[in-house]
Amino acid sequence: MSAVPPFSDGQIKALAQLLGECGNGNDISRFFSSKDLVDDSGESTKWKRLYWAFLKCQKQHQCANLIIDFIQSFLTPARFVGRNDEFETNRQQLNIILSFSGLEYGQDGRFRQCKTAKTLDEAEKRVRTIRAKFQGRRIHPEVLKYCRPELLQDNYFHAVFEASKGLAQRIRDLSGVQTDGAALIDKVFSIEKPILAINSLQTETERSEHKGFALLLKGCFAAVRNPLAHGPKILWQGEDDAADYLSLISLLHRKLDECTVTGLRGD
């Protein structure tokens, strides 16, 4: 990472107080030693030790890089195995502080640039991730299979795009049909010669359900994938809709779980 401009005194204090709750005194001493940070303040309180060490190294090097390096090691996801909620809470609080310097810490344990926040409201709003919107929702593993890297980077535009492409690929894998879009759905979910069937297709109600599912699939591609493929990311306003889009794609995957491969071949 290039030189990170020094943090304000208020940011350093907030960082020290946050990190002081993320480990014991021995943890802090160990990471101080590994990162060549000098702990000679004489303080015994964890956050005060961090505060004075951060101030000293920043003044010496005229940048915040050693502080960033310490945070990346101290809050590495590997230290929070089995405590994912704790990691996420700390990460979000950290990002509120860092947003005033145009930085954010991703779920993958890496720092990246972001738009600099000007107000506390703006900073707090930015860290309300899609995770909160997923509370109470069951996200199908096939959704995460195709867009996990994008979600780890809070990149919801491309997460939805990749998830929708993954839906089409799963239909191709199940059916053996290699077309795309509406043509793929029309061939695979034909009423006359379905390659995949959502039910037995014995009654008018079952046939209507099968047709409706096919329309949902085509609607997903038309309303989600195609606009994302052709519209520039800078114009996309979909962050607030991303949870709903991914929930829809998850529902469609669950319906595919129940489909039967008929053995028929479409014309």
Side-chain angles (χ1 to χ4, degrees), residues 66-211:
L66 279 180
I67 300 176
I68 289 294
D69 192 33
F70 179 91
I71 294 171
Q72 191 164 27
S73 296
F74 199 64
L75 285 185
T76 180
R79 286 192 65 227
F80 292 85
V81 173
R83 298 180 292 147
N84 186 64
D85 289 344
E86 181 182 346
F87 172 75
E88 187 61 22
T89 297
N90 291 328
R91 187 183 75 87
Q92 293 194 19
Q93 291 302 311
L94 173 66
N95 282 340
I96 292 175
I97 302 168
L98 294 177
S99 65
F100 292 99
S101 293
L103 291 171
E104 64 181 6
Y105 186 55
Q107 290 179 316
D108 56 356
R110 296 185 180 185
F111 285 96
R112 55 185 59 89
Q113 300 288 328
C114 69
K115 183 181 177 182
T116 302
K118 302 297 184 182
T119 67
L120 185 58
D121 283 346
E122 182 182 350
E124 290 179 342
K125 181 178 180 180
R126 186 173 299 166
V127 300
R128 295 188 192 119
T129 67
I130 205 168
R131 178 185 295 273
K133 298 173 186 175
F134 278 158
Q135 293 298 320
R137 307 187 194 206
R138 292 171 49 220
I139 301 304
H140 196 284
E142 285 288 331
V143 173
L144 299 177
K145 173 182 174 180
Y146 288 99
C147 69
R148 186 182 300 275
E150 289 73 22
L151 286 177
L152 285 174
Q153 297 175 16
D154 298 333
N155 185 349
Y156 305 138
F157 176 92
H158 284 108
V160 173
F161 187 36
E162 292 301 319
S164 62
K165 289 195 298 181
L167 178 65
Q169 185 58 47
R170 189 178 182 208
I171 295 170
R172 285 191 287 269
D173 291 342
L174 289 171
S175 67
V177 176
Q178 297 305 311
T179 54
D180 195 20
L184 172 67
I185 304 307
D186 286 341
K187 186 167 187 177
V188 172
F189 291 95
S190 162
I191 286 291
E192 292 76 20
K193 291 185 177 181
I195 298 173
L196 297 179
I198 194 173
N199 53 45
S200 66
L201 299 175
Q202 294 301 304
T203 67
E204 186 60 36
T205 297
E206 288 180 334
R207 287 191 288 272
S208 293
E209 182 187 16
H210 182 87
K211 291 177 184 178

Side-chain angles (χ1 to χ4, degrees), residues 163-171 217 220-221 249 252-253 256:
S164 62
K165 289 195 298 181
L167 178 65
Q169 185 58 47
R170 189 178 182 208
I171 295 170
L217 288 167
C220 179
F221 294 147
I249 295 170
L252 296 174
H253 274 296
L256 286 175

Side-chain angles (χ1 to χ4, degrees), residues 51-79:
Y51 173 73
W52 289 111
F54 288 168
L55 277 182
K56 185 171 184 176
C57 79
Q58 180 169 272
K59 182 177 180 180
Q60 178 183 350
H61 296 282
Q62 294 299 302
C63 67
N65 287 60
L66 279 180
I67 300 176
I68 289 294
D69 192 33
F70 179 91
I71 294 171
Q72 191 164 27
S73 296
F74 199 64
L75 285 185
T76 180
R79 286 192 65 227

Side-chain angles (χ1 to χ4, degrees), residues 8-69:
S8 69
D9 184 83
Q11 284 177 294
I12 291 179
K13 182 177 180 180
L15 288 170
Q17 291 174 329
L18 172 64
L19 296 172
E21 298 300 318
C22 298
N24 58 39
N26 290 332
D27 291 333
I28 292 172
S29 296
R30 185 172 68 255
F31 280 94
F32 271 160
S33 178
S34 67
K35 297 303 174 184
D36 295 324
L37 288 170
V38 179
D39 180 23
D40 60 359
S41 66
E43 297 283 356
S44 59
T45 305
K46 290 182 295 182
W47 79 263
K48 289 183 179 179
R49 291 174 60 195
L50 290 162
Y51 173 73
W52 289 111
F54 288 168
L55 277 182
K56 185 171 184 176
C57 79
Q58 180 169 272
K59 182 177 180 180
Q60 178 183 350
H61 296 282
Q62 294 299 302
C63 67
N65 287 60
L66 279 180
I67 300 176
I68 289 294
D69 192 33

